[in-house]
């Protein structure tokens, strides 16, 4: 077996490279227009991890300069001299939260090697390794001087390039690398006559940035984990002889999920209606719902104990509950392993729920902060209304749980197809948990159909069919899957499609009361 020497290497710049870096600037920018030896030395000494060279067969053919600064400064109006400390990277701040791209140059003889693209990638890797918010830089737009009369305002020229009406050799490339224009830096570099002295204020948001997903102080200073393990229970409705029997069945599944070290276990919608099989005779719809609501305090206390003792977050399906005003709502109870209990009311009762049980639609649609990041709950029919999932994801939800109860396959498929759509359009995970079996003596709960599953977006980091795990139809079992949250955030930022980023806020919005 033979091996050849690597031809092209991207690596950190070292002081010994200065002799090769300096003439490269003369070649690219012209003699005496690039950095001095002292400036290059200052950059390396201030922030060695942020300086890179491209070396092709021992020759330095590219240079990339970065430093760290606070986001308030990076995102404000500034000039190149101000932000770079006169070209020395003198404003490098080890405690900053933003990576600033100071310069990238490539020898014109080697531009077909995608060295610029490699530099942008290594910057992004550095940003994620340092856990910074993102990358900012002032970008050249060398095609602007040819269109200045047509676009006196540089912002209009930028919009034309973004709309592909014009092509700018630098700006077009930077947009393809996942950067967005967040402003125009006026008089950023007056000597850049091709750009008429101005620059685009470019920004790349780190998809793994932690600020937006920190837990509440009550949960401690925990941040988003790399992976989350989820279990979804397909729960069989059967006649029982005591409430203890129901609780044993529930605890059995919690115990299994805990043994597999799952972070979450999910139960179906209305699975507590199994308790109505304890009645000596069938109850009318209104009486049945009133009766089941009486179990609410015991149900909450029991599930709260399980969550803490088994160290697992429990999505407790849903349970009909009487509100202070006397109305019955279909309520999902979420029991976290820190002992806290949260609720999410079903917003859209089905026609059957309204007719048979007089269940009213609830209010509110808020994320729940957990030790595994923000989550949201949509009860069955709610998954068929896209506004709900989008509102939860806008609040930061990464995983949506859908407890459901459907009587036959067509009803199930409505929930399944809509849940898959929610996963795709919001680039999030969706967990479905349904009931199977039958309760012949309980009105409107006589038959059920379910194929519980854990759904993903449809993109390369995820399962081929957008299904992380599923179960056979109408069998009592558990599906378990490990889900990568970093893959999810990365897909949102740089996936094959970027549904969240590509929304047309200039055309539409959803306003919640």
């Amino acid at each position: 077996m033979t091996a050849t020497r690597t031809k092209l290497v991207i690596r950190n710049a070292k002081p010994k490279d200065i002799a090769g870096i300096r003439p490269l600037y003369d070649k690219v920018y012209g003699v005496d227009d690039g950095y001095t030896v002292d400036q290059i030395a200052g950059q390396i000494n201030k922030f060695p991890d942020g300086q890179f060279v491209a070396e092709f067969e021992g020759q330095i053919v590219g240079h990339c300069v970065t430093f760290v600064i606070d986001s308030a400064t990076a995102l404000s109006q500034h000039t190149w001299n101000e932000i770079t400390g006169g070209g020395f990277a003198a404003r490098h701040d080890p405690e900053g939260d933003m990576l600033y791209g100071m310069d990238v140059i490539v020898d014109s003889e080697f531009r077909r090697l995608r060295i610029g693209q490699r530099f942008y990638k290594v910057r992004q890797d550095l940003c994620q390794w340092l856990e910074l918010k993102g990358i900012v830089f002032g970008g050249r737009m060398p095609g602007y001087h040819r269109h200045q009369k047509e676009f006196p305002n540089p912002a209009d020229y930028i919009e034309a390039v973004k709309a592909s009406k014009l092509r700018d050799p630098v700006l077009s490339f930077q947009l393809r690398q996942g950067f967005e224009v967040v402003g125009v830096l006026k008089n950023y570099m007056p000597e850049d006559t091709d750009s008429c002295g101005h620059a685009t204020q470019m920004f790349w948001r780190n998809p793994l940035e932690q600020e937006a997903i920190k837990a509440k102080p009550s949960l401690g200073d925990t941040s988003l984990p790399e992976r989350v393990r989820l279990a979804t229970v397909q729960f069989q409705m059967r006649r029982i002889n005591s409430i203890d029997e129901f609780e044993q069945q529930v605890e059995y599944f919690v115990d299994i999920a805990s043994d597999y070290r799952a972070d979450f276990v999910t139960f179906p919608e209305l699975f507590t209606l199994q308790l109505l099989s304890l009645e000596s005779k069938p109850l009318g719809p209104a009486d049945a719902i009133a009766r089941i609501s009486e179990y609410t305090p015991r149900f909450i206390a029991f599930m709260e104990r399980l969550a803490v003792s088994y160290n697992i977050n429990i999505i407790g399906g849903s349970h009909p509950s009487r509100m202070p005003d006397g109305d019955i709502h279909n309520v999902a109870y979420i029991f976290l392993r820190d002992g806290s209990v949260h609720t999410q009311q079903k917003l859209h009762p089905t026609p059957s729920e309204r007719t048979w049980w007089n269940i009213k639609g609830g209010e509110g649609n808020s994320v729940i902060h957990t030790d595994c990041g923000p989550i949201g709950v949509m009860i069955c029919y709610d998954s068929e209304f896209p506004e709900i999932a989008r509102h939860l994801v806008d609040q930061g939800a990464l995983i949506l749980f859908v407890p459901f109860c459907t009587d036959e396959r067509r009803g199930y498929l409505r929930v399944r197809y809509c849940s898959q759509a929610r996963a795709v359009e919001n680039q999030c995970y969706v967990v479905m948990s349904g009931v199977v079996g039958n309760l012949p003596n309980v009105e409107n709960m006589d038959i059920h159909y379910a194929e519980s599953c854990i759904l993903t977006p449809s993109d390369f980091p995820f399962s081929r069919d957008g299904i992380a795990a599923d179960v056979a139809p109408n069998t009592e079992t558990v599906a378990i899957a490990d889900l990568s949250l970093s893959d999810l955030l990365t897909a949102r930022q740089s996936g094959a499609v970027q549904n969240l980023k590509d929304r047309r806020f200039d055309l539409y919005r959803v306003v919640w009361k």
Side-chain angles (χ1 to χ4, degrees), residues 122-361:
V122 80
R123 274 181 175 174
Q124 292 169 349
D125 292 343
L126 175 64
C127 178
Q128 293 184 347
W129 179 64
L130 295 174
E131 299 181 345
L132 303 177
K133 290 182 177 180
I135 303 171
V136 176
F137 62 83
R140 299 185 67 237
M141 39 183 179
Y144 179 49
H145 73 284
R146 294 193 300 269
H147 300 277
Q148 187 179 20
K149 290 184 179 180
E150 183 182 358
F151 301 101
N153 185 344
D156 295 332
Y157 171 78
I158 293 169
E159 289 301 317
V161 174
K162 288 169 63 177
S164 299
K165 295 178 181 178
L166 296 173
R167 182 185 178 279
D168 185 281
V170 174
L171 176 55
S172 298
F173 168 80
Q174 292 164 348
L175 292 171
R176 290 197 302 271
Q177 304 311 306
F179 285 80
E180 58 180 308
V181 181
V182 295
V184 177
L185 296 171
K186 298 292 184 67
N187 301 313
Y188 180 72
M189 189 178 288
E191 59 270 28
D192 183 6
T193 56
D194 287 347
S195 304
C196 300
H198 307 310
T200 54
Q201 192 169 32
M202 307 299 292
F203 179 54
W204 178 81
R205 188 183 305 278
N206 179 6
L208 305 183
E209 188 262 317
Q210 297 288 303
E211 182 183 54
I213 49 180
K214 287 282 183 69
K216 287 185 175 180
S218 61
L219 295 178
D221 188 22
T222 55
S223 58
L224 194 68
E226 160 63 22
R227 290 187 177 273
V228 174
R229 179 165 293 178
L230 303 178
T232 182
V233 176
Q234 189 151 281
F235 190 90
Q236 181 168 338
M237 304 293 263
R238 58 171 71 86
R239 184 158 191 160
I240 55 176
N241 297 311
S242 69
I243 188 172
D244 291 336
E245 189 177 339
F246 168 76
E247 292 176 346
Q248 288 170 5
Q249 188 179 356
V250 172
E251 186 166 3
Y252 168 77
F253 286 113
V254 173
D255 187 16
I256 287 177
S258 178
D259 281 347
Y260 278 92
R261 299 186 181 277
D263 297 291
F264 292 91
V265 60
T266 311
F267 287 91
E269 177 189 26
L270 299 177
F271 78 122
T272 58
L273 264 63
Q274 186 180 46
L275 295 169
L276 291 177
S277 68
L278 296 174
E279 302 303 315
S280 58
K281 62 179 181 178
L283 300 177
D287 291 338
I289 288 299
R291 180 74 177 99
I292 199 68
S293 184
E294 295 175 5
Y295 289 102
T296 301
R298 176 166 177 167
F299 172 71
I300 292 174
F302 170 69
M303 298 295 279
E304 180 183 343
R305 177 181 64 80
L306 291 184
V308 175
S309 60
Y310 284 94
N311 189 30
I312 192 169
N313 299 307
I314 302 175
I315 312 300
S318 77
H319 174 75
S321 303
R322 188 177 297 278
M323 299 293 104
D325 62 2
D327 287 343
I328 297 292
H329 286 199
N330 188 353
V331 181
Y333 290 88
I334 298 88
F335 307 90
L336 301 186
R337 51 187 165 197
D338 65 356
S340 61
V341 180
H342 306 261
T343 61
Q344 174 60 59
Q345 300 175 2
K346 189 172 186 177
L347 304 185
H348 301 87
T350 62
S352 175
E353 288 175 294
R354 296 196 302 267
T355 301
W356 279 93
W357 297 323
N358 197 30
I359 288 180
K360 305 295 184 182

Side-chain angles (χ1 to χ4, degrees), residues 38-52:
D38 292 343
Q39 287 172 323
I40 299 170
Q43 297 157 9
I44 295 174
N45 293 333
K46 293 280 193 316
F47 184 35
D49 288 336
Q51 320 310 319
F52 303 94

Side-chain angles (χ1 to χ4, degrees), residues 476-494:
E476 186 172 52
T477 186
V478 179
I480 301 174
D482 282 343
L483 303 179
S484 169
L485 299 187
S486 62
D487 282 351
L488 192 69
L489 294 174
T490 301
R492 287 180 174 183
Q493 185 69 23
S494 56

